[in-house]
Amino acid sequence: MDLKNNIIEVKAYNYKIIQKYILYSIPILILGIYISSLLSSKIILWGNMLIFGTIYWGVIELVRKKEVTIFLDDMELKIEDEKIPFSVIEHYYLSKVTNKLLGLRVKTKENKIYIYFTDLENKKLLLEYFNSNNVIEKKIAIDSYIRLFSVVIFILVILLLFSMMIILI
């Protein structure tokens, strides 16, 4: 968070990029699990944990490189070189995704939805900003999905990991 000349800068991560990297890493994880299970039954658990940890670390590093800055000023919201005037914003919603991340969803009147993750410490600032510009806060169905996406993917990967271990032993 940075404040310059009444322009607020918030560092954020694009939800679609995070989702893409997680989904692209699943086939690599499956292949790694399969190969480690063929080597030896004694190293299946440790090999799979090493592969999962490496892929998880790789996804985190790729997402960090794709960090964007959201600029908030009195007239508009600027996200990734796209300017969104307040007259076009229909509503927004802030949700706590993890202990450190805050989900920001903005929906425009043209039915475009922008979803970004930012630091939880920016919540008060974002609430004050949207409230001062008379933007409505409204929760919709996708907000629950956004919050649970990473949890669901993690559970599916763990289930996949254990099912492959059982099948191959």
Side-chain angles (χ1 to χ4, degrees), residues 1 10 92-96 101-103 118-131 137:
M1 174 185 69
V10 177
Y92 78 99
Y93 188 72
L94 296 173
S95 62
K96 184 178 174 186
L101 284 179
L102 177 72
T118 185
D119 291 331
L120 191 59
E121 63 193 32
N122 295 329
K123 183 175 185 174
K124 184 178 178 185
L125 178 73
L126 290 169
L127 278 171
E128 289 175 4
Y129 176 73
F130 283 112
N131 290 337
E137 182 176 17

Side-chain angles (χ1 to χ4, degrees):
M1 174 185 69
D2 194 12
L3 181 61
K4 294 179 184 174
N5 301 333
N6 255 354
I7 297 176
I8 301 167
E9 295 180 25
V10 177
K11 301 291 182 185
Y13 305 100
N14 190 335
Y15 174 71
K16 290 180 183 178
I17 290 175
I18 295 171
Q19 190 177 29
K20 179 178 76 171
Y21 285 150
I22 289 173
L23 293 175
Y24 284 165
S25 68
I26 291 175
I28 298 167
L29 179 66
I30 292 170
L31 182 65
I33 291 170
Y34 179 72
I35 290 171
S36 73
S37 63
L38 290 177
L39 296 176
S40 171
S41 61
K42 293 179 182 178
I43 64 165
I44 289 177
L45 179 63
W46 297 110
N48 290 339
M49 287 174 47
L50 179 66
I51 291 167
F52 179 75
T54 305
I55 291 173
Y56 181 75
W57 172 79
V59 168
I60 296 287
E61 286 301 312
L62 286 171
V63 168
R64 281 189 184 154
K65 289 179 184 177
K66 297 288 185 171
E67 182 181 70
V68 298
T69 303
I70 299 174
F71 296 98
L72 312 157
D73 66 14
D74 295 336
M75 302 300 291
E76 63 192 8
L77 182 69
K78 184 179 176 191
I79 303 174
E80 294 186 82
D81 300 328
E82 189 168 349
K83 294 181 179 180
I84 308 165
F86 283 110
S87 58
V88 177
I89 297 175
E90 188 175 332
H91 54 79
Y92 78 99
Y93 188 72
L94 296 173
S95 62
K96 184 178 174 186
V97 179
T98 65
N99 288 338
K100 294 185 180 183
L101 284 179
L102 177 72
L104 167 64
R105 184 206 29 89
V106 176
K107 183 179 180 194
T108 64
K109 292 178 180 170
E110 294 95 25
N111 283 329
K112 283 188 177 179
I113 297 178
Y114 301 91
I115 303 169
Y116 289 86
F117 294 140
T118 185
D119 291 331
L120 191 59
E121 63 193 32
N122 295 329
K123 183 175 185 174
K124 184 178 178 185
L125 178 73
L126 290 169
L127 278 171
E128 289 175 4
Y129 176 73
F130 283 112
N131 290 337
S132 68
N133 289 300
N134 298 322
V135 180
I136 301 168
E137 182 176 17
K138 182 179 177 185
K139 184 174 182 177
I140 58 175
I142 196 171
D143 294 322
S144 298
Y145 171 75
I146 292 167
R147 186 172 183 189
L148 295 176
F149 175 75
S150 57
V151 174
V152 169
I153 293 296
F154 179 75
I155 291 171
L156 288 175
V157 167
I158 295 298
L159 289 174
L160 177 72
L161 198 145
F162 284 117
S163 64
M164 288 190 73
M165 284 175 36
I166 290 171
I167 290 170
L168 296 171
I169 288 183

